[in-house]
Amino acid sequence: MKTKTFIIAILFLLNLGIVDLFSQITKNAVPVPNGDKNIPAYIVHVKPKLERKLSETRHLKNLEFAEVVEMNITPKTHGEWFKYNDKRVWRQKLISPEAYSINVTFTKFRLEKGVSVLIYNPSKSDVLGGLTYLNNKPDLTLSTRPIQGDTIIIEMQVPLDLGEYGELEIGKLGHDFMNIYDILKDGQYARSGDCNLDVACSEDEDILTSKNSVCRIIFNNRELCTGTIVNNTNQNSKPYVITANHCLSDSSDAQSAVFIFDYESPFCNGPDGSVSKSVSGSTLLATAKKIDFSLVELSEDIPVNYYPYYSGWNATEDREDLTNTYSIHHPWGDVKKLSVDNDPPISESYSAYYEEESHWRIAEWDEGTTERGSSGGPLFDNSNRLIGGLTGGEADCYNPVNDYYAKISKAWDFYSDTIMQLKYWLDPTNTGIKKIDGYDPNYEFMSTFSTVSNFKSGETISIEQINEVSGYYTGHNTYQISQYAEKFESENEVILSGFYLNIAKLSSADPSRSKIKIKLWQGETKPEELVAEKIYLFNQLAENQEMFLEFDHFFNLKGTFYIGYEIFYENLTDTFAVFHTDILEEINNTTTYAYVNGEWDFLAEEFPWKFKSKLSISPYLSGELSSEEIEPGEIVEPILYPNPTSGRDHFTINFQNNLIKLVDLKLYDLNGILILSENFITGDLEHEINLAKFNRGIYLCKIVVNNEQFVKKLVVTK
């Protein structure tokens, strides 16, 4: 493990709170295990329009993939309520026959603290949630990413001691008729043409960095485009995303948008990636139809475990920067693809609809192409700076020619109105800079992660069969052991991202359906409380290889925890097993548990010949398992003063202590418009906010300190 100073260790622990602060960023929760058969069902019948007409004159490359159905479903009018342990649970099933996936918009979403909402398909292979009070927004709306299948279940869990849950209303359903998640040719998850190149196939470190700025956008429950996270001259992680105007053209489009990050194949020519990393909603800052760009600010900051990169940009047309270009995008909503042109782009006009000389033309792609769904995707110059966003063109796999990208240089300040230009937003302090490199705010944090292991010096790995017909000790066997776990202990708080699993055996007649489930438990003497789980298909894994398997969240852990996997016996041809140490001499050295006949016990106790071993599992975490304990201290309610401001040019937040803390600050006016957003780490007692841009009136101040939320009213009387 790397040595870290006291201050850095504290900051890493506070970073964990980031995963709970954002809109559609979920807090880990699991559906209640009651049967699904008797859940009341609401059925909608959709007749998709199979022929979709895009502009034939401009060849726009947005993709319409769903039909939208209006509805009005609330816990007061639909569904069922029942009691489960210490919770009241409400569930409603939505069925849209023949839909490949379903997404919804909550037209009212305001949850009380302690309430959690989950959305999942009946097999629970795709689960979104839990959504909590931290997802509340001033406009009360929340759009979700699609869930696989034609049936979804919406579940709300309410503590028994809580009188009201808040407000919840499902107002729109998106019926996916394009099959954006389907398993197609060669057993791979792929909608785009065969000529497209997975970005994971690139060996260029700059491209592999730039890819983390690209996101998939779903808007109005039915359309797909691509966007890019962009840096600004303050380099303060403002969650700005740039895309095409024909994708997000007005405030309604921006508000409905769901932004999906880190959606890529896990390896070159590999399978589908995870779509779990999403942020819902944004505010339109600037847009121009005649150039075809839109800049939005996401409703919340982008979490560390989304691996965001804030792309640099080039608002000039200097030819030395334009010797070659590349684009990263989501054709047909597929995983990130890479297109490369080894020649300079050509400055041209793109039809009479747009301003003259407002676009870069790619005469012909040397690798890859673009397709529907690629609209808004970035064009990077040879210095890896953003120079354009895709409007459209003729390019496809058969003839990859003539794609047109709206110029950043044209969008910079061609129009003087600040709501029609990029300069005002991307150079907020008016430095005059027209080129800036990209920015990774989490580089230092992520560089502190490393692996730990229970292996001791001299221990080696192997894979052993029970016998020739009974299978493996650490995988499929005739004993039908279904779950395995490795024990770890930490004196201090650590942050867990995932773990490395050394896979020894992997085979199946249907690897696109066979699966394992990775799990995280806590418990004093054995795995007791399930903290998290995630499904991986066999075709997402590789035999005889150590693979990094990631949870959807970071987890703050202390004490004893267990990491492992569950295997399934539905398909008798499946074989999955994990490497382990050679047989240990002492049984008290074993750290491996097995789940047999409904009970956990040491794996050594499950076989008469005392199989003593350790699993080849290595947690990937930040923090020391054994070092001086860090006490984060108690967060108390902050105070705002003066309040009213009485003519002052600033107000002050008093945190009432000097503990190091992560602060997320949002101020809204009474119309729900976001006026100010700050995200910072401080050990100071007080923090001042400048009121120079505030008008007289009443504001709502939302302050999240570490993981505690406080809401205050601020009165400005100047």
Side-chain angles (χ1 to χ4, degrees):
M1 294 289 290
K2 300 179 181 178
T3 301
K4 293 172 279 295
T5 64
F6 176 82
I7 180 71
I8 293 297
I10 285 281
L11 296 183
F12 296 156
L13 294 175
L14 294 184
N15 261 285
L16 177 68
I18 292 177
V19 301
D20 292 332
L21 300 183
F22 309 91
S23 178
Q24 205 174 2
I25 297 158
T26 58
K27 193 168 184 178
N28 188 64
V30 295
V32 299
N34 280 28
D36 301 337
K37 293 182 179 180
N38 298 321
I39 302 175
Y42 185 94
I43 303 174
V44 298
H45 294 281
V46 176
K47 293 182 179 180
K49 301 172 184 176
L50 298 179
E51 295 296 328
R52 299 284 155 179
K53 290 186 178 180
L54 299 177
S55 170
E56 296 180 359
T57 58
R58 290 180 278 146
H59 299 284
L60 303 182
K61 291 193 172 183
N62 56 309
L63 172 65
E64 191 168 348
F65 74 94
E67 292 286 352
V68 179
V69 179
E70 304 280 343
M71 57 181 55
N72 185 4
I73 292 177
T74 75
K76 295 179 180 179
T77 59
H78 293 76
E80 66 166 357
W81 284 94
F82 61 92
K83 180 182 175 182
Y84 180 79
N85 292 340
D86 60 347
K87 298 184 178 81
R88 291 187 298 134
V89 179
W90 174 79
R91 292 193 299 193
Q92 172 68 56
K93 184 182 293 184
L94 301 180
I95 302 174
S96 189
E98 298 184 5
Y100 293 105
S101 68
I102 293 174
N103 65 82
V104 299
T105 292
F106 294 102
T107 43
K108 288 184 181 178
F109 187 94
R110 183 186 62 81
L111 300 183
E112 296 292 336
K113 190 172 183 179
V115 179
S116 183
V117 169
L118 300 97
I119 308 173
Y120 52 92
N121 53 12
S123 68
K124 298 183 178 65
S125 62
D126 194 358
V127 180
L128 172 64
L131 304 169
T132 69
Y133 78 104
L134 293 172
N135 300 93
N136 295 347
K137 296 193 297 180
D139 61 17
L140 299 184
T141 65
L142 186 72
S143 296
T144 73
R145 67 168 177 83
I147 302 293
Q148 289 178 320
D150 67 356
T151 301
I152 64 171
I153 297 164
I154 299 176
E155 177 178 307
M156 180 167 60
Q157 301 175 5
V158 184
L160 287 176
D161 58 0
L162 189 65
E164 295 293 332
Y165 59 81
E167 296 180 87
L168 193 72
E169 177 185 271
I170 307 160
K172 294 181 181 179
L173 176 147
H175 171 112
D176 169 17
F177 60 82
M178 288 293 298
N179 201 358
I180 60 173
Y181 285 128
D182 196 15
I183 303 171
L184 294 180
K185 49 188 177 295
D186 302 325
Q188 305 298 325
Y189 295 76
R191 289 292 306 181
S192 56
D194 290 334
C195 71
N196 281 283
L197 177 69
D198 277 354
V199 72
C201 295
S202 176
E203 297 180 355
D204 187 315
E205 289 299 323
D206 291 325
I207 290 175
L208 295 178
T209 297
S210 295
K211 72 180 177 63
N212 290 327
S213 68
V214 179
C215 61
R216 189 174 73 170
I217 305 174
I218 300 174
F219 59 101
N220 293 329
N221 297 88
R222 65 186 180 194
E223 294 187 65
L224 286 168
C225 279
T226 302
T228 311
I229 313 168
V230 287
N231 196 9
N232 69 81
T233 54
N234 283 337
Q235 299 205 110
N236 58 358
S237 303
K238 278 278 191 182
Y240 290 159
V241 169
I242 190 169
T243 188
N245 167 272
H246 73 267
C247 293
L248 303 181
S249 59
D250 56 35
S251 296
S252 177
D253 290 340
Q255 181 178 305
S256 73
V258 177
F259 302 83
I260 297 174
F261 300 90
D262 199 29
Y263 179 46
E264 56 192 71
S265 194
F267 45 83
C268 182
N269 297 320
D272 201 13
S274 171
V275 293
S276 62
K277 299 176 179 178
S278 58
V279 172
S280 175
S282 65
T283 300
L284 184 67
L285 301 179
T287 190
K289 289 183 178 181
K290 294 294 185 177
I291 298 176
D292 195 34
F293 85 90
S294 288
L295 180 72
V296 300
E297 181 175 358
L298 303 189
S299 62
E300 305 289 351
D301 295 328
I302 307 171
V304 174
N305 68 320
Y306 287 21
Y307 311 115
Y309 179 73
Y310 293 75
S311 174
W313 36 261
N314 179 358
T316 74
E317 299 189 17
D318 295 341
R319 303 311 297 182
E320 66 268 20
D321 297 316
L322 302 174
T323 57
N324 55 275
T325 59
Y326 64 92
S327 181
I328 302 169
H329 50 100
H330 288 284
W332 290 90
D334 201 354
V335 294
K336 292 176 190 173
K337 301 294 183 178
L338 173 66
S339 304
V340 177
D341 180 19
N342 295 323
D343 302 303
I346 303 164
S347 178
E348 283 193 6
S349 301
Y350 182 35
S351 83
Y353 182 84
Y354 297 106
E355 299 287 357
E356 292 186 3
E357 297 281 326
S358 62
H359 283 71
W360 294 115
R361 178 168 69 90
I362 302 299
E364 183 173 6
W365 293 109
D366 293 294
E367 294 181 72
T369 188
T370 65
E371 299 181 280
R372 294 183 183 181
S374 301
S375 274
L379 185 67
F380 294 103
D381 65 16
N382 48 268
S383 296
N384 306 291
R385 298 180 181 126
L386 180 68
I387 60 170
L390 181 63
T391 294
E394 303 171 28
D396 57 27
C397 279
Y398 301 102
N399 194 27
V401 300
N402 297 331
D403 264 341
Y404 291 82
Y405 286 78
K407 293 179 180 177
I408 296 296
S409 57
K410 197 74 168 182
W412 189 248
D413 60 359
F414 180 79
Y415 298 112
S416 59
D417 194 333
T418 58
I419 63 172
M420 297 178 69
Q421 64 169 236
L422 291 176
K423 180 180 183 297
Y424 177 81
W425 307 97
L426 301 188
D427 186 17
T429 54
N430 200 26
T431 65
I433 292 173
K434 287 195 171 184
K435 295 180 186 178
I436 191 172
D437 289 331
Y439 170 59
D440 183 353
N442 305 309
Y443 174 79
E444 184 178 1
F445 170 59
M446 293 306 302
S447 67
T448 65
F449 276 75
S450 57
T451 59
V452 296
S453 172
N454 283 328
F455 284 21
K456 294 181 180 180
S457 178
E459 293 179 346
T460 58
I461 65 169
S462 62
I463 181 68
E464 297 233 5
Q465 285 182 287
I466 299 170
N467 55 53
E468 291 184 359
V469 296
S470 296
Y472 294 89
Y473 290 107
T474 58
H476 285 95
N477 54 60
T478 55
Y479 290 81
Q480 295 213 337
I481 296 178
S482 60
Q483 298 186 72
Y484 296 84
E486 187 71 8
K487 178 182 178 180
F488 298 91
E489 294 183 276
S490 177
E491 296 175 7
N492 298 321
E493 291 192 356
V494 294
I495 301 171
L496 177 75
S497 169
F499 62 93
Y500 284 87
L501 185 66
N502 204 343
I503 301 171
K505 298 294 178 181
L506 181 75
S507 64
S508 172
D510 189 0
S512 66
R513 302 294 179 187
S514 296
K515 63 183 183 293
I516 66 165
K517 190 180 288 186
I518 64 170
K519 293 190 171 185
L520 169 66
W521 301 266
Q522 289 182 313
E524 290 297 322
T525 60
K526 59 184 177 180
E528 294 174 330
E529 178 188 356
L530 179 63
V531 177
E533 61 183 15
K534 183 176 180 180
I535 289 174
Y536 279 87
L537 300 176
F538 274 30
N539 68 357
Q540 294 176 287
L541 307 172
E543 186 177 84
N544 200 27
Q545 184 170 326
E546 188 173 44
M547 300 199 68
F548 178 61
L549 304 182
E550 182 184 32
F551 290 108
D552 289 336
H553 304 267
F554 285 174
F555 294 95
N556 200 354
L557 302 171
K558 182 180 179 181
T560 305
F561 61 94
Y562 306 81
I563 299 173
Y565 50 94
E566 180 179 3
I567 58 179
F568 301 88
Y569 287 86
E570 292 92 342
N571 190 339
L572 297 179
T573 65
D574 285 357
T575 302
F576 178 90
V578 172
F579 281 112
H580 50 79
T581 60
D582 288 333
I583 305 303
L584 303 172
E585 293 183 3
E586 299 292 334
I587 192 169
N588 57 7
N589 286 334
T590 185
T591 49
T592 302
Y593 287 74
Y595 188 74
V596 182
N597 298 323
E599 295 289 338
W600 283 102
D601 203 347
F602 283 111
L603 182 59
E605 302 295 338
E606 297 304 329
F607 298 102
W609 41 92
K610 302 293 185 184
F611 179 77
K612 306 178 291 293
S613 186
K614 302 171 186 175
L615 292 173
S616 187
I617 288 178
S618 301
Y620 188 61
L621 50 80
S622 177
E624 299 288 351
L625 292 178
S626 299
S627 60
E628 183 180 354
E629 188 170 342
I630 299 169
E631 294 292 344
E634 180 182 1
I635 299 301
V636 296
E637 186 169 2
I639 298 171
L640 306 186
Y641 75 90
N643 192 11
T645 57
S646 304
R648 298 280 293 274
D649 60 356
H650 69 272
F651 74 91
T652 300
I653 304 174
N654 185 304
F655 295 107
Q656 302 197 64
N657 60 48
N658 291 91
L659 296 170
I660 297 173
K661 56 191 77 70
L662 174 69
V663 181
D664 184 75
L665 171 67
K666 300 281 192 299
L667 271 85
Y668 303 89
D669 65 18
L670 291 184
N671 293 319
I673 303 300
L674 181 65
I675 304 298
L676 176 72
S677 176
E678 291 190 10
N679 189 274
F680 55 90
I681 294 172
T682 181
D684 295 336
L685 176 65
E686 296 185 335
H687 181 78
E688 288 189 355
I689 303 294
N690 192 315
L691 290 171
K693 295 184 179 181
F694 283 60
N695 296 320
R696 181 175 178 176
I698 299 175
Y699 296 84
L700 186 68
C701 184
K702 174 183 171 183
I703 309 171
V704 180
V705 185
N706 292 0
N707 197 29
E708 292 293 320
Q709 176 174 282
F710 306 93
V711 179
K712 302 282 187 179
K713 183 172 69 174
L714 174 68
V715 181
V716 178
T717 60
K718 65 176 182 176

